[in-house]
Amino acid sequence: MGTENDEYKARLRKRVRLTNPEQLYNVQDGNGSKIPYDLADGRQLFNHYRHRMTNYDQVLDQIRSEQQGQITGRQEKQVAVAAAENILQKYRDEHVKVIQDSQKKGQVLKSLFEKAGVSTASALSQLLDSWSEKIKQLGHLENSQRSLQTWNDTYRVQRELVKAILKQENASEEIQEKVKLIYSTKSSNKAIDLGSDLFNLEKSEILKLVKTVVHYTKL
């Protein structure tokens, strides 16, 4: 008799399940009004959980329907216990996640303290702010270097195209040599001297020309 009774209780409790776990922190009273989670008492929490997170009420209705509208106190108690078990299971899972996340964050923070050589969160925060600013500076530097590289690549292509066109247009060897000489100049100062020689112009005039085309990249 006892075994049959235990089996019946087990079957009865298996009928109760968690149906709306997302209601864990959305606490409401019997009228559907919200209650601040940190202000709700134990009875308000349990009533909310069993009625809104589980199929507690539906199971009771099913039992009443099966028994011509009747339900015993023991049956109602078993359903309530099963609802509580499901709720506590959800609570445990939530707390395990919180504990695991806290442990991971603690380990990361400890590792940062050790690597940074600091002992307080305030000191670590200041150090990270400093690193963040340096990373931004590196980002600007990388962009500047990339822009300079692009400009250099474009210059090399233009130089080769000009040489090819000179040959295609049958330019004299003298002109081609002058162009090669211009492209071989590595500094603006030498370019000014070279321009003065090639075009018989004053250095001041060549200097103005150079200044209008030379681009300085801030590194």
Side-chain angles (χ1 to χ4, degrees):
M1 182 67 178
T3 302
E4 292 179 359
N5 191 39
D6 290 342
E7 290 178 353
Y8 174 74
K9 288 180 181 180
R11 289 197 303 270
L12 194 61
R13 289 162 70 167
K14 282 183 179 179
R15 296 170 70 169
V16 183
R17 64 183 186 278
L18 208 62
T19 54
N20 297 297
E22 68 278 0
Q23 295 296 322
L24 185 62
Y25 299 110
N26 184 29
V27 184
Q28 301 175 36
D29 61 19
N31 298 320
S33 299
K34 289 189 177 181
I35 306 173
Y37 181 79
D38 56 337
L39 298 180
D41 59 32
R43 180 176 292 277
Q44 288 173 321
L45 287 172
F46 184 60
N47 284 338
H48 165 76
Y49 291 149
R50 64 176 172 172
H51 291 302
R52 292 190 171 84
M53 282 181 61
T54 73
N55 63 339
Y56 169 83
D57 293 308
Q58 290 87 342
V59 172
L60 292 182
D61 289 340
Q62 291 170 2
I63 296 172
R64 291 190 186 96
S65 177
E66 295 165 0
Q67 300 178 167
Q68 291 76 44
Q70 301 297 316
I71 187 171
T72 67
R74 290 183 179 180
Q75 289 174 322
E76 191 168 355
K77 179 181 178 181
Q78 290 302 316
V79 175
V81 169
E85 289 174 344
N86 279 274
I87 293 165
L88 289 174
Q89 175 83 25
K90 178 61 178 176
Y91 252 121
R92 189 202 67 180
D93 293 344
E94 287 290 312
H95 288 175
V96 167
K97 290 179 183 178
V98 170
I99 292 171
Q100 290 175 340
D101 288 345
S102 179
Q103 289 174 337
K104 289 179 181 178
K105 290 176 182 177
Q107 291 169 355
V108 170
L109 191 59
K110 181 180 178 182
S111 175
L112 286 173
F113 279 160
E114 292 175 350
K115 290 181 179 180
V118 297
S119 58
T120 66
S122 177
L124 179 62
S125 177
Q126 292 177 358
L127 184 61
L128 291 177
D129 287 342
S130 173
W131 287 352
S132 176
E133 188 60 34
K134 290 178 181 178
I135 290 172
K136 288 180 182 178
Q137 293 174 1
L138 287 174
H140 291 318
L141 177 60
E142 181 181 355
N143 290 335
S144 298
Q145 290 175 330
R146 189 180 297 113
S147 298
L148 181 61
Q149 182 64 45
T150 300
W151 189 88
N152 286 337
D153 291 342
T154 302
Y155 162 77
R156 292 189 184 96
V157 171
Q158 292 172 340
R159 179 185 63 190
E160 296 306 316
L161 287 175
V162 169
K163 290 180 179 179
I165 288 176
L166 288 174
K167 290 182 180 180
Q168 186 176 346
E169 297 298 325
N170 295 318
S172 67
E173 289 294 329
E174 182 181 0
I175 292 177
Q176 291 188 44
E177 286 302 318
K178 286 182 178 181
V179 170
K180 288 181 181 179
L181 188 61
I182 291 172
Y183 277 125
S184 66
T185 304
K186 300 299 182 182
S187 73
S188 57
N189 289 331
K190 290 182 179 179
I192 292 169
D193 292 336
L194 180 62
S196 299
D197 295 338
L198 290 176
F199 302 110
N200 295 318
L201 294 176
E202 294 293 331
K203 287 187 176 182
S204 60
E205 295 178 273
I206 297 298
L207 180 59
K208 291 179 182 178
L209 173 65
V210 171
K211 283 185 175 180
T212 60
V213 296
V214 173
H215 299 278
Y216 295 93
T217 303
K218 184 179 180 182
L219 296 179

